[in-house]
Amino acid sequence: VYTLNRQQRYKLSCLAAYPNPVFSKFYLSGVNQGDWVQLFSLSGVLLAEFAYSDEGIDLSGYSVGNYVVKVNGVSIKISKL
């Protein structure tokens, strides 16, 4: 059984994507400008990686479906409509 330490629980509670679901562009809270962001398919394929900016993340070039965003070792699921 794996348990999270206090810092990991704090990171999980702070990372959020909005709006979620997303039509084209979404934003992250709980991250800093310049933090490294990775975008994965649900099957675990790395689709993109980049430094986060306050301009948000544009998914307009991606298909409708679910994706995983990973920042600083914390992952969240987002849905694109």
Side-chain angles (χ1 to χ4, degrees):
V1 174
Y2 180 77
T3 57
L4 300 174
N5 66 36
R6 182 179 295 165
Q7 184 179 14
Q8 290 168 319
R9 284 193 306 265
Y10 178 76
K11 283 183 183 178
L12 283 174
S13 67
C14 291
L15 181 61
Y18 62 94
N20 191 10
V22 59
F23 287 101
S24 60
K25 188 179 275 195
F26 72 96
Y27 302 88
L28 295 173
S29 63
V31 299
N32 297 313
Q33 186 148 328
D35 283 351
W36 202 243
V37 177
Q38 295 175 305
L39 179 68
F40 293 91
S41 68
L42 284 185
S43 60
V45 176
L46 179 63
L47 303 173
E49 52 186 352
F50 44 86
Y52 185 71
S53 78
D54 292 337
E55 295 177 15
I57 298 168
D58 186 6
L59 290 185
S60 60
Y62 292 90
S63 300
V64 170
N66 295 308
Y67 297 89
V68 174
V69 175
K70 186 174 184 179
V71 184
N72 299 326
V74 179
S75 300
I76 57 171
K77 186 175 113 179
I78 58 166
S79 298
K80 175 159 187 305
L81 301 178

